[in-house]
Amino acid sequence: QVQLVQSGPEVKKPGASVKVSCKASGYTFTSYGISWVRQAPGQGLEWMGWINGYNGNTHYAENLLGRVTMTTDTSTSTAYMELRSLRSDDTAVYYCARESVAALIDCWGQGTLVTVSS
Amino acid sequence: DIVMTQSPDSLAVSLGERATINCKSSRSVLYSSNNKNYLAWYQQKPGQPPKLLIYWASIRESGVPDRFSGSGSGTDFTLTISSLQAEDVAVYYCQQYFTTPRTFGQGTKVEIK
């Protein structure tokens, strides 16, 4: 079955960086994209960006440009999301999600809690 | 950006009764070349990731109970739970995948009355 397994929780200080991994299994990694979505405590869902699993093309949310980088390692079917210059309002659960060719998100990772605190 | 607005923000429905959630997009998410609405509905229970319920505005994902249905086209959409069950308590989100950035509604919390 399709599975996305994310790395564990992180605690970071303001100004630091975090890199979250998302290992895919149960499907052909290069046939789909990976979207990243975050959810601040008690809040709704915010799309952060997308990476094409085949060629690594990316599209980032405008408010994160310059701070976020999404990459993939096709040899291990793993996607990564790095967020730099962390602020307290980056505290959130970060989800990776599989995105089909038609741009539909149909499967989600379990989420990774990133806490930014001094 | 396409803004997605859901109503209501929350609703309480008796077990076995109908629950209706509305979602309005700031511009059409209907792609004329294939006549598909790029609109999905997700269910999120506490402590869990979202789960896909409906895509193309009205197609039920495999394994989703048939009490869940989606309708609408263009800019106005509806998710209906025909007979609310206890396990349906959750927050429901609509999302457009017509263009980037993908955008979500603010969520509708469904509770038991």
Side-chain angles (χ1 to χ4, degrees):
Chain A
Q1 75 283 20
V2 175
Q3 249 192 323
L4 299 171
V5 178
Q6 300 183 223
S7 48
E10 303 263 12
V11 180
K12 297 291 183 181
K13 293 194 182 307
S17 299
V18 69
K19 192 170 186 176
V20 179
S21 68
C22 169
K23 183 168 177 60
S25 61
Y27 71 97
T28 302
F29 184 76
T30 52
S31 296
Y32 292 81
I34 294 287
S35 273
W36 290 88
V37 176
R38 68 180 179 178
Q39 186 170 37
Q43 301 301 308
L45 302 167
E46 178 191 8
W47 183 82
M48 301 176 65
W50 164 90
I51 183 165
N52 186 314
Y54 176 70
N55 58 20
N57 286 348
T58 54
H59 190 113
Y60 301 137
E62 203 168 302
N63 65 319
L64 294 173
L65 282 174
R67 288 207 301 139
V68 69
T69 302
M70 296 174 188
T71 56
T72 59
D73 180 345
T74 56
S75 69
T76 60
S77 300
T78 303
Y80 299 91
M81 185 284 299
E82 182 180 31
L83 189 60
R84 299 176 292 278
S85 302
L86 289 167
R87 310 185 293 241
S88 57
D89 62 358
D90 290 319
T91 293
V93 175
Y94 288 75
Y95 294 104
C96 64
R98 188 180 79 162
E99 186 172 300
S100 71
V101 171
L104 173 67
I105 291 175
D106 63 359
C107 181
W108 298 68
Q110 84 275 19
T112 296
L113 175 62
V114 176
T115 303
V116 183
S117 173
S118 54
Chain B
D1 297 1
I2 298 178
V3 177
M4 308 299 290
T5 304
Q6 293 179 226
S7 61
D9 289 335
S10 65
L11 75 161
V13 176
S14 300
L15 288 172
E17 296 301 304
R18 178 183 300 260
T20 301
I21 301 169
N22 299 301
C23 174
K24 189 173 184 68
S25 59
S26 59
R27 57 185 174 96
S28 177
V29 298
L30 174 63
Y31 191 35
S32 55
S33 69
N34 60 11
N35 202 37
K36 287 181 183 287
N37 287 283
Y38 284 63
L39 188 284
W41 289 95
Y42 298 90
Q43 175 193 64
Q44 187 178 33
K45 296 181 179 179
Q48 296 184 18
K51 173 189 171 185
L52 177 64
L53 294 178
I54 302 284
Y55 59 98
W56 300 132
S58 62
I59 306 298
R60 202 178 302 116
E61 172 73 331
S62 174
V64 173
D66 60 7
R67 62 180 180 274
F68 291 92
S69 63
S71 63
S73 184
T75 61
D76 292 278
F77 302 91
T78 300
L79 175 70
T80 302
I81 309 172
S82 60
S83 176
L84 191 75
Q85 305 299 304
E87 61 264 32
D88 301 335
V89 169
V91 179
Y92 294 84
Y93 295 93
C94 62
Q95 184 230 357
Q96 64 80 17
Y97 50 105
F98 183 80
T99 188
T100 52
R102 316 278 184 244
T103 44
F104 294 87
Q106 78 275 19
T108 295
K109 187 173 186 178
V110 174
E111 299 172 307
I112 305 295
K113 186 188 291 182

